[in-house]
Amino acid sequence: MSNFLSEVKDITRIERTAMHSHIQGLGLDDFLEPRNVSQGMVGQKSARKAAGLIVRLIKQGKIAGRGILIAGQPGTGKTALAMAMSHELGEQTPFTSISGSELFSLEMSKTEALTQVIRKSIGIRVKEMAEVLEGEVVEIRIERPESLEGVRKGKITLKTTDMDSMYEIGNKMMDQLSELGITSGDVISIQKAGGKVSKLGRSYSRSKDYDILTSNVSD
Ligand SMILES: Nc1ncnc2c1ncn2[C@@H]1O[C@H](COP(=O)(O)OP(=O)(O)OP(=O)(O)O)[C@@H](O)[C@H]1O
């Protein structure tokens, strides 16, 4: 679990997109003419119109595999234009922002840095589908082997809204259950493919067993 958390920390970066949260599009009419104030955009009319033209060409499939260089003084709206273009291209077009200093490094080639950013952008669109078993733990039974060579055998009974089902569990799953401190009354999910266990909470009927706020608790 701790490894998993540290991995998450590694890949989490502070994105500087909040300052553009007002940008919802290029604010153009059907003839690509910029409206005065529209979709969070104001001014920069010729740049917005040019960006709209590029968006139209992309949507028509007339340009692909090309980059666009937007040049200008700091703070004049280059990132805002890029973000507006990604909005115009629809939800399927991810927006990923990087700064120049991330590309120029002694540790990594520019190609590698760019490849990572592209992978990240693609990753935004990948939805992971996992089949899971979810239910309240009724009982965990682990039979310890009598000899050192013997293998542990385990069974878990899960209660779902419809029924109770018993599953045989392997060593890895037994270790996970004990690491997470799973006991009867916990509501858990188990990923069918990898066997990853997650604790979702405690069942309502057993929730008072360890509830320190109730009057049942003695000193
Ligand atoms: N035409 C515009 N309409 C509304 N808001 C804008 C417009 N242009 C820029 N902004 C806003 O102004 C701020 C600065 O713009 P932005 O960060 O896009 O500039 P930049 O050219 O990318 O800057 P830098 O070169 O420093 O990266 C942002 O909050 C952006 O959303």
Side-chain angles (χ1 to χ4, degrees):
M1 192 66 184
S2 58
N3 283 347
F4 174 69
L5 280 180
S6 61
E7 270 172 38
V8 171
K9 261 188 206 158
D10 283 350
I11 58 166
T12 305
R13 283 194 344 210
I14 299 164
E15 297 290 357
R16 290 162 299 150
T17 48
M19 64 194 284
H20 306 288
S21 55
H22 58 290
I23 308 286
Q24 300 301 320
L26 287 164
L28 307 175
D29 64 18
D30 293 344
F31 305 99
L32 298 185
E33 287 305 326
R35 298 190 182 95
N36 276 340
V37 181
S38 176
Q39 295 188 298
M41 279 291 199
V42 59
Q44 294 283 29
K45 289 193 171 177
S46 50
R48 282 160 60 199
K49 187 170 180 171
L53 192 61
I54 295 166
V55 167
R56 181 170 285 184
L57 290 173
I58 296 170
K59 281 184 176 168
Q60 291 171 346
K62 290 189 177 158
I63 45 171
R66 285 161 196 260
I68 302 158
L69 177 68
I70 307 175
Q73 295 292 313
T76 48
K78 300 181 291 294
T79 315
L81 271 180
M83 184 173 262
M85 289 171 79
S86 88
H87 275 291
E88 295 284 345
L89 288 167
E91 280 180 12
Q92 295 294 310
T93 306
F95 180 86
T96 307
S97 164
I98 56 163
S99 66
S101 57
E102 288 172 67
L103 283 186
F104 296 97
S105 147
L106 290 175
E107 285 167 19
M108 200 188 287
S109 73
K110 287 194 273 300
T111 313
E112 175 59 22
L114 280 171
T115 310
Q116 284 195 11
V117 176
I118 289 166
R119 282 204 195 112
K120 187 182 159 213
S121 288
I122 295 167
I124 291 170
R125 294 180 53 190
V126 175
K127 250 195 192 162
E128 208 179 357
M129 300 284 282
E131 231 184 310
V132 290
L133 286 172
E134 213 173 273
E136 176 191 335
V137 178
V138 178
E139 188 183 29
I140 300 172
R141 197 180 290 174
I142 295 174
E143 289 170 23
R144 314 247 162 228
E146 283 168 17
S147 67
L148 278 176
E149 295 83 49
V151 278
R152 280 189 301 171
K153 281 185 188 162
K155 283 183 181 151
I156 187 167
T157 310
L158 280 184
K159 182 179 170 173
T160 60
T161 27
D162 307 326
M163 56 178 173
D164 287 11
S165 309
M166 189 188 279
Y167 302 92
E168 298 212 343
I169 51 176
N171 269 322
K172 221 171 120 188
M173 179 110 34
M174 285 185 249
D175 291 344
Q176 279 192 76
L177 292 170
S178 84
E179 268 171 39
L180 293 169
I182 306 283
T183 54
S184 309
D186 284 338
V187 178
I188 62 167
S189 75
I190 303 172
Q191 272 186 24
K192 274 193 180 173
K196 184 174 178 291
V197 181
S198 310
K199 185 171 173 172
L200 305 175
R202 274 195 74 71
S203 87
Y204 184 71
S205 55
R206 307 285 298 263
S207 62
K208 293 202 171 119
D209 288 7
Y210 304 105
D211 188 348
I212 54 167
L213 293 175
T214 65
S215 52
N216 294 339
V217 176
S218 56
D219 286 347

